[in-house]
Structure formats: C-alpha cells, structure tokens
Amino acid sequence: MARYKVSNKNIYGLKSGDLQTFVICVPLIIVLALICAFWIAPLFYPLYAEKYTLDQGAVGQVSTADTPLAASIADMERLTDGFTFYTNGTVLNHDAVRVGDEKYHWITLDSGEKVFARINQKALTDTGEIGIYRLPVGVWREWTPPEEMQYYTMMTDLDHYIDMYGEYVPVLSPADFGQAVGRSAVAWIFILVLVTFRVVGVRTWRFAPALFASRDPLLPRNDLECWCAATYAIWSHAFDGMEGFPLITGTRGTRKQVKFLRSGLEDQWGIYNREQGLAMVHELTDRWAGRLDPRESGWDLCRATQLLAMMYLVKMIGRDELDREFSRAGRVIQRSFTSWDALVESYLAGFRTWISGTRYDPEHNVRFRRGIYERMKRQYFSPYSIPWNTDLSWVPGVSGGEREATKKLLKHYRGDY
C-alpha cells in the first residue's frame, strides 16, 4: 500500500517564482557582490593587511641593514633573535628539494657548512649587485628532517634548519582582496537567499519543506482538522495542480492556486469576504441540520468544509476560526451519516444532480470522483481510515484537542517519492 508523501510538484520551490529567481534574484546577487568587492572590501582591507603582515624583525619578514649577519652555525646559534646573510640567485632557483607544498634550499654558509633553509622569497632584498640577494630574517630551529632529506648526508647538520619563512601568509593586493571578497560574497549571498527563500516559501505555504516533511504548516495539527480534511479529500484530488489530502487546504498557497481558489469563491459562490463566506457555510450546513433524509446532503455538507479550507488559504479566516467552523460543520456531518461510505455515496449523488445541469458528462465525472475515493481507500493511511466517531469538539485557545489520528498520519508522512 502507498504511504502518504509530500508532493514533489514544488518541494524545492524551483517551479515557483521563476521571475524572482532569474530576473530579480540573480542580478541582485551580482549587484550585492560588486558592492562588496568595490565598496565594502576596501574598508576592511587595512584590517586584513595588518592581521597578516609580519612585524618588523619577525621571522620571514624583510631583513634590514641592522639585522645581524651570520656566517656559521655557531653564529646562528648565538643570534637567537634573528639573523640574515647573502646568497645568489642560483641557490634560490635551483638548489632546492620539495617536501609536499614546502620548498627547502640547501645553503652553503661562509664557513663552508651546509644546511637546509626554508625561505620566504617574497621577502628577499635586491642588493643592486647582479644575482646577489639579502635573505629574510631567520632563526636556527631544531627539527626531525622529513624522510626526503635524510639521505642528504653531505649536509653539516640535519637536526636543524634555518627558518626564514615563519608565520608568513601571502597578503593579497587591494584589487585581489576585493575580487576574493566578491567571489565569497556571491557564494554566501546565494546561500542566504536560498535559505531565506526556502524558509519564507514554506511559511507562506508556497511549497513543502525539503526536510522534515511532517513540519509542513498545512498539515493537520489535530484530529478535528484531519477528519474535516477527509470530508473534501475527493474535491482536493480532482483538479490538476492540487495536492489533496492530508493538506488542510488541499493545495499549496502559490499565487496561481490562491488566484484559482479566490476566483472560485468570487465567481461560483459570490464570496468576497469573511462574512459572506461564513454565511454561505452556515447556509449549507443549517439547511441539512436535523434532517432525516440525507440522500444528497453530503454534497452540500462536504462543500461547506471545502469552502472553509478555501477561505483559509486565501486568508479570509485564521486557523482558530477555521477549527471552530470545522467543528460546527463537522458535527452536522457526523450526526447526518453513520460512516464514510454513507457520506461519500450521498456526496456523489448530490454531485451527479449538480453536474447534470452543466455541459459536462455526469457519468464520466461521477466515475472519476468515485475512482478517487476507491484509490484513496487503498492507501496506507487513508482519510477514510480515520474513525468516523472522532471527537470533533473545539475549545477556544485549545482547538481540537485529540491527536491520535494526526500522530498516525504524521508518522507515515514522508518527504521522498
């Protein structure tokens, strides 16, 4: 048997608001990204540069004329606050070994000793003499050499290396920083817009939650709503674009569907406001209340609860008033019939009489709606499996208190197809 699952017509909101998405949202995201890149980024660039620029005299920073020169390992051990020395371009360009993303040079000191050095080549100082450079500030550090270096037996000391890189982080230029901020802004603004679109879309009933389907605000929140939604379940499955039971409105609140239902209320029922709508609902229920011949009363009574659902979707009434009127109409239905089968037979009989006065084929349309009824009865959690004698009482501030059928529905309501 099929389980009830959230509609996939618009679960991610991709079929709703194409105009907003492609004509408004995308250009808006681009404009905001450009604003971030050219106006906001320059305001923060000084803070960024200050954070990642090494202090004068720090390891890896440009050395100065005052930085002590080291000529041997002994000098480097003594100059614990930092030192520098000179080397040539050949060493910097060729005498090196890579360890992952890091590059180490083998250096021959003035003393003839050979050691490894990790050098920040962004902090070299051109001496004006061709091919000769003053190296950044460095310190002599103890380490365990990587496996790739343990075979360089010609080195004087493999247990130490010269660290001339330190905590250096490449600082972007203002232009590159602006571009980086702009690219990040596009990603974050897109995520923000997408999440906002999802949250607002679900809360305004335009589409179902992509996750946690049972949190859908249009699902019944009590057995009163669950039972009454079943009374017009045939209607809510009879039209393209409607998703049907268990949504208490029978459909999502997209602009198209809201326009469709509002047009139905106005053109077919002459309902333009709350007062007119409730008057029509009361007329439909009062004409059959206490009648002993319910042969076709199911048609009017089910349309009364249907009208309430339509009025709720177009915001003519609120949720508490919906439940209050559900309770009133539902109890009339409950007293008029003994079972779901009896209600549906009366509904279909009334529908046959109504549609016979139109240009549509009565037999075809009755068979179609009966087929909807028979198909829903075979579902795992059918609207017609809800106990007929469900308590439909309504208490102000509490609404329909029972939730046994609702819990069963939500337990088997899944968001995947």
Side-chain angles (χ1 to χ4, degrees), residues 82-231:
F83 54 81
T84 187
F85 51 85
Y86 295 85
T87 191
N88 58 58
T90 301
V91 171
L92 296 174
N93 292 327
H94 302 291
D95 297 350
V97 58
R98 283 197 172 274
V99 179
D101 294 331
E102 299 178 354
K103 186 177 182 181
Y104 293 85
H105 295 80
W106 54 81
I107 303 289
T108 301
L109 301 174
D110 290 346
S111 63
E113 297 167 304
K114 297 180 182 295
V115 293
F116 279 114
R118 186 176 180 220
I119 302 170
N120 174 18
Q121 297 200 38
K122 299 289 185 181
L124 297 174
T125 300
D126 190 343
T127 63
E129 185 178 348
I130 297 177
I132 303 299
Y133 300 91
R134 189 174 70 232
L135 295 177
V137 176
V139 292
W140 183 240
R141 294 195 189 280
E142 186 176 0
W143 73 336
T144 299
E147 184 177 350
E148 295 91 333
M149 297 181 173
Q150 293 177 1
Y151 303 101
Y152 286 79
T153 55
M154 79 289 294
M155 308 305 289
T156 305
D157 189 337
L158 279 176
D159 295 329
H160 294 78
Y161 80 106
I162 304 171
D163 182 6
M164 291 183 164
Y165 200 93
E167 298 181 356
Y168 169 77
V169 174
V171 177
L172 300 175
S173 67
D176 290 342
F177 180 73
Q179 291 179 8
V181 170
R183 287 192 296 268
S184 298
V186 168
W188 283 108
I189 293 172
F190 176 78
I191 293 172
L192 180 62
V193 169
L194 180 63
V195 171
T196 302
F197 181 64
R198 286 288 323 148
V199 172
V200 172
V202 171
R203 291 187 176 181
T204 55
W205 311 342
R206 293 174 60 192
F207 40 82
L211 302 172
F212 308 111
S214 62
R215 301 289 184 90
D216 194 325
L218 290 182
L219 288 176
R221 64 183 184 183
N222 52 55
D223 290 354
L224 168 63
E225 293 180 351
C226 201
W227 192 94
C228 288
T231 63

